[in-house]
Amino acid sequence: MGKKPIVAVVLLLGAAAYLVWLATRPPTIVDEGIVYDEDETRAGKAATLAAAGKRSSAQVSIDLDWLLRELMSHDALRRFEAYNKAVRQPALPAHEPLVRLLLRWLDSTDATRHRQAFGLMSRMGDRVLPQLAALHDSPNRRVRTRALSALFTLRKQGKDVDGPSALELLKDPDKCMRDYAMRLVAHGVPYDAALANQLIAWLRPKGAASYYGAEVALARMGPKGVAHLVAILEDPSQDELMLTVLGGLSGAAPEDLVLVLPTIAEYIRSEDEATAEAAINVLIALRGDCEACLPALRHAMQDESFLVVVAALRIMRQMGPRATPALREVLALLDYGDVRVANAASDALAAMKADAKAVIPALGRAIQSEHSVPAAQALAVYGSAGLEELLRQFDAGDEYVQGAVLAGISTLGPEASPAVSRLVRLIEGDDDTLRTAAIHATARIGPRAAPAVSAILQQAYAGHVPDYRAAHALVWIGEAAHDPLREGLRSSSAAVRSMAVRVVMSMEGRTGFALEELGALLGDADEDIRLHAVTAIASAHVGYHDGGMPHIEADASLREPVRELLVRASKDKDPDVCHVAASALRALATDKEGS
């Protein structure tokens, strides 16, 4: 062998040894005069990995000196694990050496370090805002945005902080920084006369090129800022700014708008549709605190534009019972001729909860004329009296009316149990849309819908109802569905057994009631039935805490029976069945170790 190959091998071995040494050496880290001789223990690393593997909202204690050492490590994986552990803390103390490190990371060109630094500093709350605000003149744009946000937050808290004024920031030569500063100003700053005058100078007519958000920023400067905008509204020479100013006022605080309600209300009566709509949007921002505007709103409900009428009705809905003096006008709008207006009127009536004798017949007529789902849902507000009207409309109406009525029955929930017989007829009928809505209504009624169980299952067995939809309804109906499902699992018909086991499987975590029947299906000749059976068995003991279905707790008493059935299934000739059983057994063993 020549010398060159030997030299190459030696160099490769040397390089490999050096890389191993770099990865395993305990580094000495120097940071701003702080020296650490790192000696990480296995326990510390194990604790980090354990914390990374669990999602818990509970507070986890953390050693800040250890965190600082890990974050300054040469090992990227260790830095990442330490960051993950720290960022899950509900709060972190403003540890001075750690803050210094994070401030330096903020100014880093490494986007990951910048993001991690901000993530950790956000866990320190207001305690680090002064240090962040001090970076307002950083040449790094990302750092400046963070610093300006901190600066504005401190000033909103009434603290005197050194730094550029809002007006100076809005004149920054960097357009991106100007736009960011305007967004911060638009979130609200203390009133300043010079700033207010500059914002007024930047106002432009609606649709023209304008300084982004100047009108909103002015409106959010409190009563004095709102007063400036109202003064512009009242100045005839400034008519071109009317829509701009009204748009800004919609962003003002409700307590500031209340002071100028009479002026705003006048614009609802404007013959210009855009002006009336803009004025109504200002009142919508009041979130229902505008009884003083009722006369103007009643006038707006007579407007030729359906947009203005709908906006006025939205305010009525927000006002709720306080809008009752306008009941006559709202009832009249149920016959407006535009379904959007009729629906908005129904929503307003539902919120008003006005006199049932006047409202219920009108809502019933709205269902017949517009097939209005909102009208049916509004009737549900009136409980048994509303249900009586819903059933009357159901019996007299066509399939479209019945579809709207089903929405009202679903809204009523358990109170709608007198409607179950009608729901059964729809479930057994030929209309797929009505059948689906009726099954959903039985789920909302719950255990009182037990008479519908047989119809739901028969339609599922016939292939007219998907397994997941049947399962959803039967879960809400509860124990009344258990015996019929067991009968389906024991059926001599393979098609019935197949659908029954799919329905049970879709009940996720509630399959324990049929464990015996599911175990028997592990010997079924149909491979799909066996696969669905073992899937259902695997979830029998785990409980269920997801949305959309009732929550149940895990049942530890089922663990051993489930394990025995899974062991049986793991010997199945079908590899898919074996795979599901083996995976479930591993999960079962892991759960046992964890407990």
Side-chain angles (χ1 to χ4, degrees):
M1 183 182 290
K3 290 184 178 180
K4 288 185 178 180
I6 295 174
V7 171
V9 170
V10 170
L11 288 174
L12 285 173
L13 291 173
Y18 177 70
L19 290 174
V20 170
W21 176 77
L22 277 180
T24 57
R25 72 189 180 98
T28 299
I29 304 165
V30 181
D31 177 53
E32 300 183 11
I34 308 169
V35 181
Y36 296 97
D37 291 320
E38 186 172 24
D39 183 21
E40 188 200 16
T41 64
R42 288 174 179 249
K45 193 159 190 174
T48 303
L49 293 172
K54 294 182 179 179
R55 294 181 179 180
S56 172
S57 59
Q59 185 168 350
V60 182
S61 59
I62 189 166
D63 184 336
L64 294 175
D65 290 329
W66 170 85
L67 174 62
L68 187 61
R69 289 198 302 272
E70 293 298 289
L71 291 177
M72 292 190 295
S73 169
H74 294 294
D75 188 335
L77 178 60
R78 286 169 58 184
R79 290 198 306 270
F80 181 72
E81 290 170 352
Y83 167 76
N84 272 348
K85 181 174 181 180
V87 82
R88 283 194 304 275
Q89 305 297 313
L92 285 174
H95 186 51
E96 187 176 346
L98 179 59
V99 171
R100 289 204 303 272
L101 174 66
L102 296 178
L103 287 173
R104 197 172 71 249
W105 277 18
L106 267 184
D107 205 18
S108 170
T109 55
D110 185 336
T112 300
R113 286 199 171 188
H114 177 89
R115 186 178 65 253
Q116 290 179 345
F118 186 72
L120 292 178
M121 293 188 83
S122 67
R123 297 298 184 275
M124 297 179 184
D126 292 352
R127 296 182 291 275
V128 293
L129 289 180
Q131 293 96 317
L132 271 175
L135 302 175
H136 59 79
D137 56 354
S138 170
N140 186 322
R141 182 184 288 169
R142 290 182 306 182
V143 176
R144 283 195 72 194
T145 57
R146 306 288 194 191
L148 292 179
S149 181
L151 186 69
F152 276 72
T153 300
L154 288 170
R155 286 177 177 168
K156 284 179 72 174
Q157 293 173 354
K159 297 177 181 175
D160 186 15
V161 188
D162 289 336
S165 67
L167 187 56
E168 291 171 339
L169 292 170
L170 290 173
K171 294 181 178 180
D172 193 288
D174 186 336
K175 183 181 184 303
C176 290
M177 295 309 301
R178 291 199 306 272
D179 291 343
Y180 187 75
M182 179 59 83
R183 286 198 294 271
L184 292 174
V185 170
H187 278 87
V189 295
Y191 178 80
D192 178 80
L195 176 60
N197 289 332
Q198 183 60 71
L199 291 173
I200 291 170
W202 279 330
L203 293 177
R204 295 290 183 273
K206 192 79 170 178
S210 61
Y211 205 111
Y212 172 78
E215 64 276 13
V216 176
L218 194 58
R220 291 182 178 172
M221 292 178 72
K224 292 182 179 179
V226 170
H228 279 299
L229 290 174
V230 172
I232 295 172
L233 278 180
E234 295 174 338
D235 183 354
S237 66
Q238 301 279 3
D239 279 353
E240 62 178 7
L241 295 178
M242 184 185 301
L243 291 178
T244 301
V245 169
L246 288 172
L249 286 171
S250 65
E255 58 271 20
D256 298 332
L257 283 177
V258 169
L259 304 175
V260 295
L261 278 179
T263 303
I264 304 299
E266 287 299 317
Y267 287 91
I268 298 178
R269 299 188 175 96
S270 171
E271 295 180 0
D272 180 64
E273 178 183 315
T275 301
E277 186 181 357
I280 285 179
N281 286 334
V282 176
L283 300 187
I284 288 173
L286 290 171
R287 297 187 288 274
D289 297 327
C290 51
E291 289 95 327
C293 293
L294 267 178
L297 291 172
R298 295 168 85 166
H299 177 81
M301 287 191 288
Q302 312 301 320
D303 198 275
E304 294 180 358
S305 167
F306 83 90
L307 291 174
V308 174
V309 177
V310 168
L313 288 168
R314 285 176 59 193
I315 300 175
M316 294 287 185
R317 185 184 62 191
Q318 290 178 329
M319 292 174 66
R322 291 174 292 180
T324 302
L327 176 62
R328 182 173 56 82
E329 288 86 349
V330 177
L331 286 172
L333 291 176
L334 289 173
D335 301 320
Y336 186 84
D338 187 303
V339 68
R340 291 164 292 190
V341 173
N343 288 349
S346 296
D347 290 339
L349 290 170
M352 289 163 66
K353 300 179 182 177
D355 179 31
K357 290 182 180 180
V359 174
I360 288 178
L363 289 172
R365 290 193 298 272
I367 295 175
Q368 289 287 350
S369 61
E370 298 288 353
H371 314 137
S372 172
V373 169
Q377 292 172 327
L379 279 171
V381 170
Y382 293 92
S384 58
L387 176 63
E388 185 178 336
E389 179 66 22
L390 285 169
L391 296 181
R392 194 175 72 80
Q393 297 298 333
F394 180 95
D395 294 336
D398 57 16
E399 64 270 23
Y400 299 105
V401 171
Q402 290 176 348
V405 169
L406 287 174
I409 290 173
S410 295
T411 304
L412 268 170
E415 288 185 72
S417 57
V420 171
S421 60
R422 292 172 173 83
L423 298 179
V424 170
R425 290 206 305 270
L426 292 180
I427 293 170
E428 294 174 341
D430 298 327
D431 190 309
D432 288 338
T433 302
L434 290 179
R435 182 189 298 116
T436 298
I439 291 175
H440 176 70
T442 61
R444 298 300 300 268
I445 292 172
R448 296 183 184 180
V453 169
S454 177
I456 294 172
L457 285 175
Q458 290 306 317
Q459 292 299 313
Y461 296 155
H464 300 315
V465 177
D467 53 84
Y468 63 85
R469 184 166 292 134
H472 179 264
L474 296 176
V475 162
W476 282 102
I477 290 173
E479 294 184 4
H482 291 179
D483 285 341
L485 276 170
R486 290 193 193 98
E487 290 177 14
L489 295 172
R490 293 193 296 263
S491 173
S492 58
S493 167
V496 171
R497 292 198 306 275
S498 177
M499 176 54 78
V501 74
R502 292 207 306 273
V503 171
V504 172
M505 180 186 70
S506 298
M507 295 175 79
E508 297 189 63
R510 302 172 180 82
T511 60
F513 71 91
L515 207 55
E516 182 180 344
E517 289 76 13
L518 291 170
L521 290 181
L522 292 177
D524 198 281
D526 189 309
E527 293 176 353
D528 287 338
I529 290 178
R530 298 201 304 276
L531 181 61
H532 293 139
V534 71
T535 305
I537 289 168
S539 68
H541 67 291
V542 297
Y544 191 86
H545 293 85
D546 200 358
M549 289 205 194
H551 292 187
I552 60 170
E553 298 301 324
D555 188 349
S557 67
L558 294 176
R559 291 173 63 89
E560 189 56 29
V562 166
R563 191 189 68 78
E564 292 174 0
L565 292 174
L566 291 174
V567 169
R568 225 176 91 200
S570 67
K571 301 172 184 176
D572 194 276
K573 59 185 178 182
D574 184 354
D576 290 336
V577 175
C578 293
H579 174 72
V580 171
S583 298
L585 282 169
R586 285 195 297 271
L588 195 63
T590 303
D591 289 345
K592 188 173 182 180
E593 290 173 4
S595 60

